[in-house]
Amino acid sequence: MRQRPAARLLVLDQQDRVLLFRFFHSSGALAGRSYWSTPGGSLKDGENFVQAAKRELHEETGLNAPFLSSEIGQRTFVLTLASGETVLADERFFALRAPETTLSSSGWTPNEKNVLKGHHWWSRRELEQTTEIIFPERLLDLLTTALSGDLP
């Protein structure tokens, strides 16, 4: 099974709300699936996790990362991609405080334009009360870790 290393981001606004994107797959192996997830994606050749986190942040949000936390979490699991390929995902999580909440989709890939259907800045209370599917499953634990760290 191919390994797929990826960097994921907890992007927090000034009110400690976390940015999540809504994904909806209209075709492929995940057709009909809808869920919310943090920004991020797989590493490119030669990248480390921090470099990938900064690149993904800019591509998916238009924001630049003046400060990233050290790694605040990691998870490894079997993931089925939209193509149907099954991979061993190795995700590393980083956090940052967004300088603003206005986002840009100008760096989105064609696939992202197809599956990303919106975003929302979620409060802790909303996360605790939602019935929506949210990834990662331990997002509230990661949020607690991020907020206990050295975020400006």
Side-chain angles (χ1 to χ4, degrees):
M1 182 180 304
R2 178 174 71 89
Q3 291 193 357
R4 182 182 182 268
R8 311 273 340 155
L9 294 146
L10 269 67
V11 181
L12 304 173
D13 71 3
Q14 298 303 314
Q15 290 78 41
D16 294 336
R17 298 177 303 175
V18 63
L19 173 66
L20 296 178
F21 286 111
R22 180 177 171 266
F23 287 75
F24 179 76
H25 297 270
S26 58
S27 62
L30 303 177
R33 280 199 77 192
S34 176
Y35 56 89
W36 293 85
S37 186
T38 57
S42 61
L43 276 63
K44 291 187 175 181
D45 287 341
E47 275 186 326
N48 63 38
F49 285 95
V50 171
Q51 292 167 329
K54 290 180 178 183
R55 176 185 49 77
E56 287 287 340
L57 175 70
H58 184 69
E59 288 175 2
E60 293 188 358
T61 68
L63 301 172
N64 289 307
F67 176 80
L68 279 180
S69 69
S70 57
E71 187 177 307
I72 61 167
Q74 186 264 344
R75 71 179 185 155
T76 303
F77 61 101
V78 175
L79 173 67
T80 300
L81 301 174
S83 66
E85 180 185 9
T86 301
V87 297
L88 182 61
D90 175 11
E91 295 185 339
R92 310 293 174 95
F93 292 85
F94 302 88
L96 72 142
R97 180 83 58 194
E100 60 182 291
T101 57
T102 303
L103 305 181
S104 170
S105 60
S106 64
W108 288 7
T109 66
N111 181 58
E112 289 166 339
K113 290 176 184 177
N114 187 43
V115 299
L116 294 177
K117 301 302 180 186
H119 72 276
H120 182 69
W121 294 89
W122 292 73
S123 69
R124 175 178 286 279
R125 183 174 182 163
E126 288 174 313
L127 290 168
E128 291 169 343
Q129 295 179 348
T130 189
T131 58
E132 297 280 339
I133 297 169
I134 294 182
F135 295 115
E137 295 85 356
R138 293 181 39 246
L139 181 60
L140 286 170
D141 293 339
L142 290 170
L143 182 58
T144 298
T145 299
L147 292 173
S148 68
D150 188 24
L151 293 178

